[in-house]
Amino acid sequence: MKVPYGMPQSWGGHVISRPDRHTLMVQPPLAAVYPVLKAHPRVPDGARPTSWDELETSESNFSSDSDHPSTLTSGWRGSQNEGETGTYDDIEEEVICDMCSQAPAVKTCLTCNSSFCELDVRQHYTIKSLQRHLLTDACEEVEAKRCLHYKKPLDVFCRTDQMQICRICALGYHKGHDLTSLRPHSARSQISSEGESKNLEQREKVVPPPGQISFSSVKPDSVILRWGSPVGLDGPKSFRIKWSSLMKEGGSLVIKDFYKVEINNLQFGQKYLFSVATEDKDGNLSEWVTASVITALPAPKHLSKGHSEATALSLKWTRGDNMEGTPHQYLINVTSPGKEPLAIHTEDCYKKFSYLQPDTEYTISVSTLLGGQCSQPVSITIHTEPCFREVLSMIGLEDQYDNKLTLSSVLEIDQNDAAEDKLERTKCLPETILKELMMLNTNARSVRHLCGDGSDAVNPLDVVVALFLCSDGFLQQDIVLKMALCQYAVPLLLPNHETREVTLMLWSMREIVRTFRPSNQAFRKISCEERLTLSVIPLVSFVRLGRTNLSKSMILNKLLSNTQQCHDTFYHHHIIGGNVPRRVSEGLVEISWYLPCGNRNIDKFTEPLSVANLRGDIRAFDKQFSFLCQTSAVVYIFCMESEADYFKKLEGKDVKANVILVSSGQGNTLALKMMKMRPSLKITNLSQKKKTETELTKAIQEAISKMLENCSNKVCVAQMAENARCCGILVDEDSDECQSARRNVSKITAGIADTSGFKDKHLTLQGHLWKALSWVETEYWRLRKAGNQNVEVYRKSLKTKEEELRRKQLRFEMTAAMSSFLHGVVTSEVQRCYFLKWLEMDLDDQVRDQVSTLQDRYKELRQTFPQDMEEIAEVGKQISVVSLCLGHFFRECGQLFECVCYLPEYSRQRKTVEQLPALCAQMLLDGFPLELVDGDTANIPMKWITEVLTELHHIMQSNSKLKVIAILGAESSGKSTLLNNMFGVRFAVGKGPCTRGAFLQLIVVGNDAREELGCDCILIIDTEGLKPHQTAQDDHSHERDKEVASLAVGLSDAVIVCVSGDDSSQRDVLEMVLHAWTRLEVVGRKPQCHFVQTNMCEIPAVGRRKGKEVLELLLKIIQEDTRMKEANITTISDVMEVDSDTLLWHIPPIWRGSPPMAPLSDDYSETALALKKRLIKNLKKRRERGDLIHLITQVESVWTAL
């Protein structure tokens, strides 16, 4: 069966082999005319021309040795005597193709002096250099093919020039060349044809021919041919190989005891004829075995994807080797499962494909096309991107891309907050993941969902990316903060498949502050507390080229985990949903940090570093790869050894990072190799080959540790912004609102050198005058100094004094800092939120070192010297003095508002100040806490609080029915942390006493749960830690503690009481809590109470109290307390509602290991979630109460009563 001309083969060319025809042939091709016998006539002798006599006298001139036996045809040999010329009167002649020696010739080339069959003559029409040859119809006689110069028969073949010539040319221009005769001639003695046939048979029996020729490799410039062993030939074997083509002089060689040979230096796209014969020790040759092959065309190189989107993509490539200057085209084949294949012809090295299907895999191959011949194809498999909006619709975020999610909407209480199980439908994935993240649940990404047949299965990493794209900048910041606390990697570069843009998430990471202890401070036991976006540390990046057998993410997780139990910092395919193909998260770059704790037995690295991980192939995400190469100290590239050609493109590229290849070779061997790109590409081995991932991880760890010892290439995330802009990457901080807000904040913080002096100079209304005013206001109700005076007269004098103090406050002009603050908050909502966030972060950076040192000292004294009450109190005062936060500015705003009635009615300053309550109410909705009780003066600025809550009631359109949850407990018992975990709120947390006074945060109840809960919102109250009476200061702070606790209890529907594991401290706290209840006869309501026991790591399970024991202790305290007896309180039910089954909750330690690298405890978050569900369930049973307006009245009445 003939192979159709031009059909592409898998090896890139045509092989035409006829091993079944064993014909003893002269190579190169014989004469074009082959006589065929009718009978066995005797060919008459003829006289030999004189010139031919001379030609044949020297055997060496013609080199007609055993390599080229006399002219033989299929079934016929010439038997003429020397000097005789044969005539063919009785012979029927047929012209046979000189190339294949089988098919009839249709054309004769007078330039090549050869005849060609229909198949082989095609090259004279397709190859440009052969198109100039002179073709004629195939000659019917041997003599019709004559020399173009002398018109003589072509009786001689010149091996030197590889052409057929006449006798005259042989004695002239070709004299001295390697010549052989093409005339049929016989031996010098008369031998009959029968005798010659007998000799031929004898010869064939003596030297067996080799087996059939096959081609195991066909390349553009070489082929590998092999043949079978000669049958019946023992001992050493020699083979003579010859080859030739129409375009290039051939060659020959002799090899011994090999059956395979590689022939090089061939021309691409040319047909070559190969012949092999067995040669015995006497030099006799067997019959020649022949086969022909067309060398392959060079395949295109560097096929890569350019632009790509849901329905279109582009490919580019370069010409194959040595194809410059040769006109050629390309054949493109496009295939996809279930779709009709498409073939495209082009002359360009670039092609754009349109009208593709989104989220579909396409395999595209490109072959070089020349003269109907195709090269071996090069292929690339591309998965078109899904329609971004379709993915959003699949997970229920289609509306949030244009109308961004906000923090307040995420914190809403809905029906599912009281449900026992997680939401696991695909459309609920974002909500479920966000809820879990807000509660700092480290299993937030491990969400099972009902995916049916799998068509709607979504990779959770896609959900995370979609959430970031559908959230505003402030929710993004909160999500990143929670992810970092969960020890999750956070987005560094976020891709947007809708806009084709990449964004550096600098703003989102601004709030991350971590404490660690590098090696140079470990021996002094001094810790560093830094904002990680400002930490100047090395960045180590991990990327992938092509597909590998290794999981970068799993290796990174092992690298960053201090314990044997690997924490999943980076998401990988073994996590639930991780094997689902990623759709919108390809191109994402995540970042995490390794921070040492100072213990060499725990730390894997003694210095801090950041680690980045690119999702996807670097060939598809050149922008992200270039950014990492410019900002990293080291870039590790995971790849297969077969992908090494890609790195030629990087030669000479300016890369600041050291580049190390993590290559996978045969037998799953792994190796680390250093790659230099300048001045030229150079790759050197760094270590011996590794066989397991454990060995590889250890080698990478050792290499990074060595790099950290003397690393000069360090960078902070904030400094990466300029690199990002140079790479065409957006920066999330570059918005006008964000930058304008930052400039306003700089005007305030630039002048802060000493925080105490700054407060005295710029926050004048809350200094000594405010403390005096607070004393007057509280004394108005306490009457401690009234003595024997008439109460009404005494109170009137206090009112007069209050007015005088207010007028003194007004003598202070508006300071520059407060003017800048008011300018920052009285603006658009977005810019105001940026302003407050920038101010909050900058103030924290200003005081962090001082406050952190004092808090460490306070904690140390409380733990080691609890009896040193005076020093503990003094350190507590110092913390208050050096502290400066956003709350101080709002406290100043409250004082300004308290004085507003004393300002001229139409003054500009009065109009500005009158806007503050509404702005503060909106900020309360946005997630900022509001100070209810001033921690420095133990007073409530009632006028300010009243106006803020009233404005909040109006903003909520009078739908402000509420229920209240409060928390009480000892200092540093984790009250604020527990509330933040349960409800996702943002109360201040730290190492020492962080909350002074009481703070409010508001959580809106969703429409679907309002009727069931009986309220529109839930108010959360966080209170200052209760101190034992002996540690209280001499400013009645113990009274303040009790008053704040009583206020929280009096306003609440549910109360959480945090107690530590120590029995003595438990009793102190429980006594103060019970006293707080006894002061609330005026309230007439008893809240539901839950006791939470913290610091459980210090108490063995057998030593932990049970709910029944707590009830017995409470009852004992009630029975022994005289004030309770006076108030007729004899049982627990007289002061609170309790459920013995859910009374006591044991809260596990928050960290699973040693910070800073320890992840949060799953048990902690799960216990907090269970407590939250119980609280909400109890709130459903509580009777409805009033709205915010009613709360204002209640606050005033309770505080007055206290």
Side-chain angles (χ1 to χ4, degrees), residues 349-413:
C349 293
Y350 171 89
K351 182 62 182 175
K352 183 175 181 179
F353 303 86
S354 303
Y355 306 107
L356 303 178
Q357 292 295 319
D359 199 14
T360 303
E361 186 174 279
Y362 287 90
T363 299
I364 303 175
S365 61
V366 183
S367 304
T368 305
L369 189 63
L370 177 63
Q373 181 184 352
C374 283
S375 72
Q376 182 178 359
V378 291
S379 300
I380 186 172
T381 299
I382 299 173
H383 199 108
T384 54
E385 297 171 3
C387 182
F388 181 65
R389 300 280 180 155
E390 290 180 6
V391 176
L392 295 184
S393 178
M394 185 186 302
I395 59 179
L397 290 176
E398 60 271 24
D399 296 331
Q400 278 66 47
Y401 183 72
D402 297 315
N403 302 305
K404 304 296 186 185
L405 290 167
T406 62
L407 180 60
S408 58
S409 64
V410 170
L411 297 182
E412 276 189 6
I413 301 292

Side-chain angles (χ1 to χ4, degrees), residues 104-118:
V106 296
K107 292 290 184 182
T108 298
C109 178
L110 299 181
T111 305
C112 299
N113 295 322
S114 299
S115 298
F116 301 95
C117 64
E118 183 178 2

Side-chain angles (χ1 to χ4, degrees), residues 823-841:
H823 179 71
V825 295
V826 183
T827 182
S828 68
E829 182 177 354
V830 173
Q831 188 165 330
R832 178 172 62 251
C833 288
Y834 274 119
F835 173 80
L836 294 173
K837 285 286 188 178
W838 276 119
L839 183 58
E840 185 178 39
M841 291 186 291

Side-chain angles (χ1 to χ4, degrees), residues 23 127 204 384 467 491 569 602 622 647 669 842 861 933 960 1092:
T23 306
I127 298 177
E204 288 178 347
T384 54
L467 277 173
T569 301
I602 296 176
D622 184 66
F647 298 112
T669 58
D842 283 8
L861 289 172
V933 179
S960 64
V1092 172

Side-chain angles (χ1 to χ4, degrees), residues 441-488:
N441 190 338
T442 55
N443 293 319
R445 296 177 304 189
S446 303
V447 180
R448 297 183 182 275
H449 55 281
L450 306 176
C451 55
D453 59 358
S455 59
D456 63 343
V458 181
N459 190 304
L461 203 57
D462 286 340
V463 180
V464 172
V465 170
L467 277 173
F468 274 97
L469 294 173
C470 293
S471 303
D472 67 11
F474 310 105
L475 178 56
Q476 287 178 349
Q477 197 173 69
D478 205 62
I479 293 173
V480 166
L481 180 62
K482 305 288 187 181
M483 291 178 70
L485 288 172
C486 290
Q487 293 291 3
Y488 288 167

Side-chain angles (χ1 to χ4, degrees), residues 911-1159:
K911 290 182 178 180
T912 300
V913 172
E914 286 176 343
Q915 299 179 52
L916 293 178
L919 296 175
C920 192
Q922 182 59 53
M923 286 154 41
L924 194 59
L925 279 175
D926 292 336
F928 290 92
L930 172 67
E931 187 178 52
L932 176 63
V933 179
D934 187 324
D936 289 338
T937 62
N939 188 29
I940 297 178
M942 194 59 67
K943 185 176 180 180
W944 166 250
I945 293 297
T946 298
E947 196 64 26
V948 170
L949 295 181
T950 302
E951 290 292 342
L952 182 60
H953 176 72
H954 295 324
I955 292 174
M956 299 180 69
Q957 298 177 347
S958 301
N959 297 318
S960 64
K961 288 188 297 183
L962 78 160
K963 291 185 178 179
V964 182
I965 298 174
I967 193 165
L968 309 175
E971 272 188 337
S972 303
S973 58
K975 304 183 301 301
S976 302
T977 301
L978 182 60
L979 289 176
N980 292 347
N981 273 34
M982 285 197 297
F983 298 100
V985 289
R986 295 169 56 86
F987 290 114
V989 295
K991 294 175 288 187
C994 300
T995 305
R996 291 176 59 84
F999 287 84
L1000 305 176
Q1001 280 209 248
L1002 190 77
I1003 300 177
V1004 177
V1005 177
N1007 293 329
D1008 59 344
R1010 289 185 177 183
E1011 184 176 351
E1012 187 177 1
L1013 272 173
C1015 61
D1016 302 306
C1017 57
I1018 294 177
L1019 200 65
I1020 311 293
I1021 303 178
D1022 187 22
T1023 61
E1024 182 175 351
L1026 299 172
K1027 294 181 286 293
H1029 181 75
Q1030 63 270 23
T1031 64
Q1033 303 169 26
D1034 59 359
D1035 59 353
H1036 304 286
S1037 60
H1038 61 289
E1039 290 291 338
R1040 180 187 64 198
D1041 294 348
K1042 293 177 182 178
E1043 290 168 357
V1044 171
S1046 297
L1047 174 67
V1049 170
L1051 299 177
S1052 300
D1053 295 279
V1055 176
I1056 304 169
V1057 179
C1058 289
V1059 293
S1060 61
D1062 181 70
D1063 286 344
S1064 60
S1065 62
Q1066 277 189 17
R1067 183 180 178 91
D1068 287 342
V1069 171
L1070 292 177
E1071 284 182 359
M1072 285 188 286
V1073 169
L1074 286 173
H1075 289 161
W1077 255 279
T1078 60
R1079 298 160 66 108
L1080 294 174
E1081 296 177 6
V1082 67
V1083 177
R1085 57 188 300 118
K1086 294 183 291 185
Q1088 182 84 28
C1089 189
H1090 295 276
F1091 291 87
V1092 172
Q1093 194 170 15
T1094 58
N1095 300 329
M1096 298 312 300
C1097 58
E1098 302 172 2
I1099 306 174
V1102 293
R1104 296 175 184 172
R1105 291 188 183 276
K1106 295 181 173 58
K1108 185 178 179 182
E1109 295 175 357
V1110 173
L1111 287 175
E1112 291 174 354
L1113 180 58
L1114 288 171
L1115 185 59
K1116 184 178 180 181
I1117 294 172
I1118 290 173
Q1119 292 171 349
E1120 294 176 355
D1121 193 284
T1122 55
R1123 281 178 292 182
M1124 293 189 183
K1125 290 180 181 178
E1126 293 173 359
N1128 294 323
I1129 297 174
T1130 57
T1131 64
I1132 298 173
S1133 60
D1134 290 336
V1135 291
M1136 67 182 74
E1137 293 182 7
V1138 294
D1139 182 348
S1140 57
D1141 295 330
T1142 60
L1143 173 69
L1144 184 62
W1145 297 76
H1146 298 293
I1147 302 294
I1150 189 169
W1151 299 108
R1152 196 175 71 226
S1154 300
M1157 292 309 297

